[in-house]
Amino acid sequence: MRGNVIVGQSGGPTAVINASVAGVYAAAKRAGVNKVYGMVYGIQGFLEDKVLDLDEYLADEAGMELLKRTPSAFLGSCRYKLPDVWSNEEQFEKVFEVMEKYDISCMFYIGGNDSMDTVKMLSDYAKQKGKNQCFIGIPKTIDNDLPITDHCPGYGSAAKYIATSLKEIIRDNAVYGDYRTAILLVEIMGRHAGWLTAAAALAKDDSCEGVDAIYLPERDFNLDEFLRKVKELAERKKSIVIAVSEGVRLGNGRFVCELDGAGSEKTDVFGHKQLSGCGAFLAGLIQEKTGYKARAVEFSTLQRAASHIASLTDIEEAFRAGEAAVEAALEEKTGMMVTLLRGEGDSYRCLTGLYDIHAIANQERKVPTEWITEDGCGVTKEYEVYARPLIQGELFPIYENGIPKHLVRKV
Ligand code: F6P
């Protein structure tokens, strides 16, 4: 490959997004690339020339190993939308100016639906202007809502955290036995797609009865039906644990988290509202309307930062996705995203592919309707067959002084 390459991270982090950086670095070095740069704070930082040389951190095996086990985005992230090219061509030219300064021939951008918009815009601009730099997207999102790819790196680890924590919480909630009714609402991220909340179903096994209801944003949420369900559950059992997506909304489109007026009216540059608080709202509603004690737990950022319980499968696939992006660049591809493909047959196998970024940027893939139970309070066996392989295996942190050691940027 001619010249150097750069890798950036964008959007909400995951427990394995750094493994993709490691994959890019390993494959690029194998291919004889001189410099593998990292953009600090994604495209937003890159526009201000915030660039580091990954050799400083990853030249030895120990750095690579630590990076794979470090949560959050090592390079820093951003939620930044490039402007419409006609309204601000300067910004596009600035990107190419910085690329030329560091002799960068290919940019790898790790992110979700919005971040793939950046890959799309830059690769389209390069084509239009006859520039020969290439742009390849590497999927990541705990939300698992990118289309085309079978699943997204980051999802398996967040799902593993959710299933494990719920299993622990279900034990805790049952501690007073028949002496007290205890209702627990667990709010799970995922915006408009219910993949993460569906992972609550994975808590169930021989030593755990599982959660009592799962509410995904794919179905309209009805407050009366919800209260009816809670009362019906409370008539036959004392310990009740309910998983609810941060993105559940009423039939009129209003988010449940906005109902008490506490929901944030603020939207990010991609028009997404910050969704938080529906668990607390519903717990309050239960107390008020039924008199039962109810409490809420919001997994919030814990579910995407939990590298202490990351899925080894997920880490390996994130790393592989980084490598596959470099291979695509070696074949002079551009305007594509790496996809994960599920191999045929009974035993789980994951392969990689490539897909046109135009079919992916800004799109959301929801949980299929047929995987949601008819009553709208659970997911079917098909979901479990899909998700269970993604949470397999562990790669524990490197511990020092009793707590995990992380790789941290100096700048
Ligand atoms: O990136 C996905 C995600 O973690 C969503 O599940 C969540 O709604 C959102 O990011 C939160 O974003 P932020 O951390 O920027 O508020």
PDB file of all heavy atoms in Angstrom, residues 10-14 79 140-143 188-192 196 246 268 273-275 300-301 303-304, ligand 1:
ATOM      1  N   SER A  10     -15.435   6.647  16.529  1.00  0.00           N
ATOM      2  CA  SER A  10     -16.509   7.646  16.495  1.00  0.00           C
ATOM      3  C   SER A  10     -17.777   7.100  17.145  1.00  0.00           C
ATOM      4  O   SER A  10     -18.011   5.890  17.147  1.00  0.00           O
ATOM      5  CB  SER A  10     -16.741   7.991  15.014  1.00  0.00           C
ATOM      6  OG  SER A  10     -17.874   8.779  14.844  1.00  0.00           O
ATOM      7  N   GLY A  11     -18.576   7.990  17.714  1.00  0.00           N
ATOM      8  CA  GLY A  11     -19.828   7.586  18.355  1.00  0.00           C
ATOM      9  C   GLY A  11     -19.604   7.030  19.750  1.00  0.00           C
ATOM     10  O   GLY A  11     -18.513   7.130  20.315  1.00  0.00           O
ATOM     11  N   GLY A  12     -20.656   6.403  20.303  1.00  0.00           N
ATOM     12  CA  GLY A  12     -20.554   5.833  21.657  1.00  0.00           C
ATOM     13  C   GLY A  12     -19.560   4.688  21.664  1.00  0.00           C
ATOM     14  O   GLY A  12     -19.516   3.900  20.737  1.00  0.00           O
ATOM     15  N   PRO A  13     -18.735   4.604  22.699  1.00  0.00           N
ATOM     16  CA  PRO A  13     -17.740   3.529  22.730  1.00  0.00           C
ATOM     17  C   PRO A  13     -18.346   2.152  23.020  1.00  0.00           C
ATOM     18  O   PRO A  13     -19.542   2.036  23.311  1.00  0.00           O
ATOM     19  CB  PRO A  13     -16.818   3.951  23.867  1.00  0.00           C
ATOM     20  CG  PRO A  13     -17.563   4.921  24.682  1.00  0.00           C
ATOM     21  CD  PRO A  13     -18.637   5.521  23.831  1.00  0.00           C
ATOM     22  N   THR A  14     -17.505   1.131  22.918  1.00  0.00           N
ATOM     23  CA  THR A  14     -17.904  -0.230  23.306  1.00  0.00           C
ATOM     24  C   THR A  14     -16.712  -0.824  24.073  1.00  0.00           C
ATOM     25  O   THR A  14     -15.633  -0.234  24.094  1.00  0.00           O
ATOM     26  CB  THR A  14     -18.179  -1.137  22.089  1.00  0.00           C
ATOM     27  OG1 THR A  14     -16.922  -1.523  21.518  1.00  0.00           O
ATOM     28  CG2 THR A  14     -19.022  -0.454  21.019  1.00  0.00           C
ATOM     29  N   ARG A  79     -19.146  12.899  18.285  1.00  0.00           N
ATOM     30  CA  ARG A  79     -20.422  12.788  17.568  1.00  0.00           C
ATOM     31  C   ARG A  79     -20.440  14.022  16.691  1.00  0.00           C
ATOM     32  O   ARG A  79     -20.894  15.084  17.093  1.00  0.00           O
ATOM     33  CB  ARG A  79     -21.593  12.779  18.547  1.00  0.00           C
ATOM     34  CG  ARG A  79     -21.655  11.528  19.404  1.00  0.00           C
ATOM     35  CD  ARG A  79     -23.073  11.093  19.641  1.00  0.00           C
ATOM     36  NE  ARG A  79     -23.154   9.958  20.577  1.00  0.00           N
ATOM     37  CZ  ARG A  79     -23.295   8.697  20.188  1.00  0.00           C
ATOM     38  NH1 ARG A  79     -23.360   8.403  18.913  1.00  0.00           N
ATOM     39  NH2 ARG A  79     -23.385   7.737  21.074  1.00  0.00           N
ATOM     40  N   LYS A 140     -19.099  -0.872  14.518  1.00  0.00           N
ATOM     41  CA  LYS A 140     -19.109  -0.989  15.980  1.00  0.00           C
ATOM     42  C   LYS A 140     -20.385  -0.365  16.482  1.00  0.00           C
ATOM     43  O   LYS A 140     -20.798   0.692  16.005  1.00  0.00           O
ATOM     44  CB  LYS A 140     -17.886  -0.374  16.614  1.00  0.00           C
ATOM     45  CG  LYS A 140     -17.809   1.108  17.061  1.00  0.00           C
ATOM     46  CD  LYS A 140     -18.711   1.667  18.074  1.00  0.00           C
ATOM     47  CE  LYS A 140     -19.550   2.793  17.494  1.00  0.00           C
ATOM     48  NZ  LYS A 140     -20.241   3.626  18.420  1.00  0.00           N
ATOM     49  N   THR A 141     -21.053  -1.004  17.359  1.00  0.00           N
ATOM     50  CA  THR A 141     -22.090  -0.363  18.178  1.00  0.00           C
ATOM     51  C   THR A 141     -22.717  -1.392  19.098  1.00  0.00           C
ATOM     52  O   THR A 141     -23.060  -2.495  18.654  1.00  0.00           O
ATOM     53  CB  THR A 141     -23.199   0.333  17.367  1.00  0.00           C
ATOM     54  OG1 THR A 141     -24.244   0.700  18.275  1.00  0.00           O
ATOM     55  CG2 THR A 141     -23.801  -0.499  16.255  1.00  0.00           C
ATOM     56  N   ILE A 142     -22.828  -1.007  20.356  1.00  0.00           N
ATOM     57  CA  ILE A 142     -23.524  -1.904  21.291  1.00  0.00           C
ATOM     58  C   ILE A 142     -24.974  -2.069  20.849  1.00  0.00           C
ATOM     59  O   ILE A 142     -25.599  -3.056  21.157  1.00  0.00           O
ATOM     60  CB  ILE A 142     -23.458  -1.407  22.751  1.00  0.00           C
ATOM     61  CG1 ILE A 142     -24.074  -0.015  22.914  1.00  0.00           C
ATOM     62  CG2 ILE A 142     -22.038  -1.435  23.284  1.00  0.00           C
ATOM     63  CD1 ILE A 142     -24.392   0.353  24.361  1.00  0.00           C
ATOM     64  N   ASP A 143     -25.509  -1.083  20.118  1.00  0.00           N
ATOM     65  CA  ASP A 143     -26.928  -1.131  19.732  1.00  0.00           C
ATOM     66  C   ASP A 143     -27.212  -2.248  18.726  1.00  0.00           C
ATOM     67  O   ASP A 143     -28.361  -2.649  18.554  1.00  0.00           O
ATOM     68  CB  ASP A 143     -27.365   0.203  19.114  1.00  0.00           C
ATOM     69  CG  ASP A 143     -27.282   1.351  20.105  1.00  0.00           C
ATOM     70  OD1 ASP A 143     -27.000   1.093  21.277  1.00  0.00           O
ATOM     71  OD2 ASP A 143     -27.497   2.505  19.689  1.00  0.00           O
ATOM     72  N   ILE A 188     -32.231  -0.390  29.745  1.00  0.00           N
ATOM     73  CA  ILE A 188     -31.114  -0.819  28.903  1.00  0.00           C
ATOM     74  C   ILE A 188     -31.020   0.079  27.672  1.00  0.00           C
ATOM     75  O   ILE A 188     -32.034   0.475  27.094  1.00  0.00           O
ATOM     76  CB  ILE A 188     -31.321  -2.315  28.524  1.00  0.00           C
ATOM     77  CG1 ILE A 188     -31.330  -3.157  29.816  1.00  0.00           C
ATOM     78  CG2 ILE A 188     -30.238  -2.805  27.558  1.00  0.00           C
ATOM     79  CD1 ILE A 188     -31.679  -4.608  29.651  1.00  0.00           C
ATOM     80  N   MET A 189     -29.794   0.373  27.243  1.00  0.00           N
ATOM     81  CA  MET A 189     -29.580   1.271  26.091  1.00  0.00           C
ATOM     82  C   MET A 189     -30.008   0.626  24.769  1.00  0.00           C
ATOM     83  O   MET A 189     -30.431  -0.525  24.727  1.00  0.00           O
ATOM     84  CB  MET A 189     -28.111   1.656  25.991  1.00  0.00           C
ATOM     85  CG  MET A 189     -27.707   2.821  26.864  1.00  0.00           C
ATOM     86  SD  MET A 189     -25.952   3.179  26.586  1.00  0.00           S
ATOM     87  CE  MET A 189     -25.818   4.779  27.356  1.00  0.00           C
ATOM     88  N   GLY A 190     -29.817   1.359  23.685  1.00  0.00           N
ATOM     89  CA  GLY A 190     -30.115   0.783  22.367  1.00  0.00           C
ATOM     90  C   GLY A 190     -30.916   1.687  21.467  1.00  0.00           C
ATOM     91  O   GLY A 190     -31.296   1.291  20.362  1.00  0.00           O
ATOM     92  N   ARG A 191     -31.240   2.871  21.977  1.00  0.00           N
ATOM     93  CA  ARG A 191     -32.001   3.849  21.190  1.00  0.00           C
ATOM     94  C   ARG A 191     -33.283   3.246  20.617  1.00  0.00           C
ATOM     95  O   ARG A 191     -34.130   2.818  21.352  1.00  0.00           O
ATOM     96  CB  ARG A 191     -31.134   4.390  20.065  1.00  0.00           C
ATOM     97  CG  ARG A 191     -30.195   5.457  20.540  1.00  0.00           C
ATOM     98  CD  ARG A 191     -29.805   6.372  19.401  1.00  0.00           C
ATOM     99  NE  ARG A 191     -28.901   7.383  19.887  1.00  0.00           N
ATOM    100  CZ  ARG A 191     -27.683   7.598  19.411  1.00  0.00           C
ATOM    101  NH1 ARG A 191     -27.238   6.887  18.413  1.00  0.00           N
ATOM    102  NH2 ARG A 191     -26.949   8.530  19.923  1.00  0.00           N
ATOM    103  N   HIS A 192     -33.371   3.175  19.260  1.00  0.00           N
ATOM    104  CA  HIS A 192     -34.631   2.770  18.656  1.00  0.00           C
ATOM    105  C   HIS A 192     -34.675   1.285  18.322  1.00  0.00           C
ATOM    106  O   HIS A 192     -35.637   0.804  17.742  1.00  0.00           O
ATOM    107  CB  HIS A 192     -34.878   3.586  17.375  1.00  0.00           C
ATOM    108  CG  HIS A 192     -34.617   5.038  17.579  1.00  0.00           C
ATOM    109  ND1 HIS A 192     -33.860   5.794  16.732  1.00  0.00           N
ATOM    110  CD2 HIS A 192     -34.994   5.870  18.588  1.00  0.00           C
ATOM    111  CE1 HIS A 192     -33.775   7.031  17.190  1.00  0.00           C
ATOM    112  NE2 HIS A 192     -34.454   7.106  18.313  1.00  0.00           N
ATOM    113  N   LEU A 196     -30.202  -4.853  22.373  1.00  0.00           N
ATOM    114  CA  LEU A 196     -29.551  -4.925  23.684  1.00  0.00           C
ATOM    115  C   LEU A 196     -30.532  -5.366  24.762  1.00  0.00           C
ATOM    116  O   LEU A 196     -30.193  -6.181  25.616  1.00  0.00           O
ATOM    117  CB  LEU A 196     -29.002  -3.550  24.067  1.00  0.00           C
ATOM    118  CG  LEU A 196     -27.588  -3.190  23.655  1.00  0.00           C
ATOM    119  CD1 LEU A 196     -27.250  -1.810  24.159  1.00  0.00           C
ATOM    120  CD2 LEU A 196     -26.596  -4.211  24.180  1.00  0.00           C
ATOM    121  N   GLU A 246     -34.425   1.832  26.799  1.00  0.00           N
ATOM    122  CA  GLU A 246     -34.452   3.292  26.984  1.00  0.00           C
ATOM    123  C   GLU A 246     -35.336   3.963  25.936  1.00  0.00           C
ATOM    124  O   GLU A 246     -35.831   5.061  26.119  1.00  0.00           O
ATOM    125  CB  GLU A 246     -33.037   3.865  26.878  1.00  0.00           C
ATOM    126  CG  GLU A 246     -32.396   3.660  25.486  1.00  0.00           C
ATOM    127  CD  GLU A 246     -31.040   4.344  25.295  1.00  0.00           C
ATOM    128  OE1 GLU A 246     -30.494   4.899  26.257  1.00  0.00           O
ATOM    129  OE2 GLU A 246     -30.524   4.301  24.159  1.00  0.00           O
ATOM    130  N   ASP A 268     -28.663  15.438  19.651  1.00  0.00           N
ATOM    131  CA  ASP A 268     -27.309  15.605  19.156  1.00  0.00           C
ATOM    132  C   ASP A 268     -27.355  16.052  17.691  1.00  0.00           C
ATOM    133  O   ASP A 268     -28.440  16.247  17.129  1.00  0.00           O
ATOM    134  CB  ASP A 268     -26.458  14.334  19.375  1.00  0.00           C
ATOM    135  CG  ASP A 268     -26.926  13.154  18.537  1.00  0.00           C
ATOM    136  OD1 ASP A 268     -27.663  13.362  17.553  1.00  0.00           O
ATOM    137  OD2 ASP A 268     -26.536  12.019  18.845  1.00  0.00           O
ATOM    138  N   LYS A 273     -32.316  12.152  20.401  1.00  0.00           N
ATOM    139  CA  LYS A 273     -32.544  12.643  21.767  1.00  0.00           C
ATOM    140  C   LYS A 273     -31.750  11.797  22.732  1.00  0.00           C
ATOM    141  O   LYS A 273     -31.547  10.611  22.478  1.00  0.00           O
ATOM    142  CB  LYS A 273     -34.023  12.486  22.112  1.00  0.00           C
ATOM    143  CG  LYS A 273     -34.872  13.522  21.458  1.00  0.00           C
ATOM    144  CD  LYS A 273     -36.227  13.613  22.092  1.00  0.00           C
ATOM    145  CE  LYS A 273     -36.936  14.782  21.446  1.00  0.00           C
ATOM    146  NZ  LYS A 273     -38.355  14.684  21.436  1.00  0.00           N
ATOM    147  N   GLN A 274     -31.307  12.403  23.835  1.00  0.00           N
ATOM    148  CA  GLN A 274     -30.698  11.565  24.869  1.00  0.00           C
ATOM    149  C   GLN A 274     -31.826  10.869  25.612  1.00  0.00           C
ATOM    150  O   GLN A 274     -32.701  11.516  26.191  1.00  0.00           O
ATOM    151  CB  GLN A 274     -29.869  12.401  25.823  1.00  0.00           C
ATOM    152  CG  GLN A 274     -29.094  11.485  26.767  1.00  0.00           C
ATOM    153  CD  GLN A 274     -28.293  12.238  27.800  1.00  0.00           C
ATOM    154  OE1 GLN A 274     -27.866  13.350  27.577  1.00  0.00           O
ATOM    155  NE2 GLN A 274     -28.114  11.614  28.942  1.00  0.00           N
ATOM    156  N   LEU A 275     -31.835   9.556  25.529  1.00  0.00           N
ATOM    157  CA  LEU A 275     -32.938   8.789  26.099  1.00  0.00           C
ATOM    158  C   LEU A 275     -32.500   8.225  27.441  1.00  0.00           C
ATOM    159  O   LEU A 275     -31.601   7.413  27.513  1.00  0.00           O
ATOM    160  CB  LEU A 275     -33.290   7.633  25.165  1.00  0.00           C
ATOM    161  CG  LEU A 275     -33.648   8.033  23.734  1.00  0.00           C
ATOM    162  CD1 LEU A 275     -33.786   6.810  22.865  1.00  0.00           C
ATOM    163  CD2 LEU A 275     -34.921   8.859  23.710  1.00  0.00           C
ATOM    164  N   SER A 300     -27.042   2.188  31.780  1.00  0.00           N
ATOM    165  CA  SER A 300     -26.353   3.352  31.230  1.00  0.00           C
ATOM    166  C   SER A 300     -24.988   2.981  30.637  1.00  0.00           C
ATOM    167  O   SER A 300     -24.857   1.989  29.939  1.00  0.00           O
ATOM    168  CB  SER A 300     -26.242   4.425  32.320  1.00  0.00           C
ATOM    169  OG  SER A 300     -25.698   5.598  31.789  1.00  0.00           O
ATOM    170  N   THR A 301     -23.964   3.769  30.931  1.00  0.00           N
ATOM    171  CA  THR A 301     -22.666   3.538  30.285  1.00  0.00           C
ATOM    172  C   THR A 301     -21.952   2.282  30.802  1.00  0.00           C
ATOM    173  O   THR A 301     -20.984   1.835  30.181  1.00  0.00           O
ATOM    174  CB  THR A 301     -21.732   4.745  30.481  1.00  0.00           C
ATOM    175  OG1 THR A 301     -21.640   5.025  31.864  1.00  0.00           O
ATOM    176  CG2 THR A 301     -22.270   5.980  29.763  1.00  0.00           C
ATOM    177  N   GLN A 303     -22.889  -0.680  30.642  1.00  0.00           N
ATOM    178  CA  GLN A 303     -23.032  -1.790  29.691  1.00  0.00           C
ATOM    179  C   GLN A 303     -22.090  -1.670  28.492  1.00  0.00           C
ATOM    180  O   GLN A 303     -21.799  -2.656  27.843  1.00  0.00           O
ATOM    181  CB  GLN A 303     -24.485  -1.922  29.232  1.00  0.00           C
ATOM    182  CG  GLN A 303     -25.015  -0.735  28.467  1.00  0.00           C
ATOM    183  CD  GLN A 303     -26.517  -0.559  28.601  1.00  0.00           C
ATOM    184  OE1 GLN A 303     -27.279  -1.429  28.227  1.00  0.00           O
ATOM    185  NE2 GLN A 303     -26.944   0.574  29.143  1.00  0.00           N
ATOM    186  N   ARG A 304     -21.619  -0.479  28.180  1.00  0.00           N
ATOM    187  CA  ARG A 304     -20.720  -0.382  27.037  1.00  0.00           C
ATOM    188  C   ARG A 304     -19.249  -0.252  27.466  1.00  0.00           C
ATOM    189  O   ARG A 304     -18.360  -0.264  26.624  1.00  0.00           O
ATOM    190  CB  ARG A 304     -21.131   0.757  26.111  1.00  0.00           C
ATOM    191  CG  ARG A 304     -21.018   2.141  26.696  1.00  0.00           C
ATOM    192  CD  ARG A 304     -21.577   3.195  25.737  1.00  0.00           C
ATOM    193  NE  ARG A 304     -21.174   4.509  26.161  1.00  0.00           N
ATOM    194  CZ  ARG A 304     -21.758   5.615  25.779  1.00  0.00           C
ATOM    195  NH1 ARG A 304     -22.770   5.565  24.944  1.00  0.00           N
ATOM    196  NH2 ARG A 304     -21.317   6.779  26.204  1.00  0.00           N
TER     197      ARG A 304
HETATM  198  O1  F6P B   1     -23.720   4.461  20.628  1.00  0.00           O
HETATM  199  C1  F6P B   1     -24.876   3.915  21.063  1.00  0.00           C
HETATM  200  C2  F6P B   1     -25.333   4.435  22.396  1.00  0.00           C
HETATM  201  O2  F6P B   1     -24.590   3.838  23.420  1.00  0.00           O
HETATM  202  C3  F6P B   1     -26.840   4.256  22.570  1.00  0.00           C
HETATM  203  O3  F6P B   1     -27.199   3.007  23.033  1.00  0.00           O
HETATM  204  C4  F6P B   1     -27.197   5.366  23.501  1.00  0.00           C
HETATM  205  O4  F6P B   1     -28.542   5.796  23.365  1.00  0.00           O
HETATM  206  C5  F6P B   1     -26.265   6.454  23.041  1.00  0.00           C
HETATM  207  O5  F6P B   1     -25.139   5.820  22.512  1.00  0.00           O
HETATM  208  C6  F6P B   1     -25.844   7.410  24.114  1.00  0.00           C
HETATM  209  O6  F6P B   1     -24.967   8.318  23.563  1.00  0.00           O
HETATM  210  P1  F6P B   1     -24.110   9.365  24.398  1.00  0.00           P
HETATM  211  O7  F6P B   1     -23.187   8.578  25.261  1.00  0.00           O
HETATM  212  O8  F6P B   1     -23.391  10.143  23.351  1.00  0.00           O
HETATM  213  O9  F6P B   1     -25.094  10.157  25.176  1.00  0.00           O
END
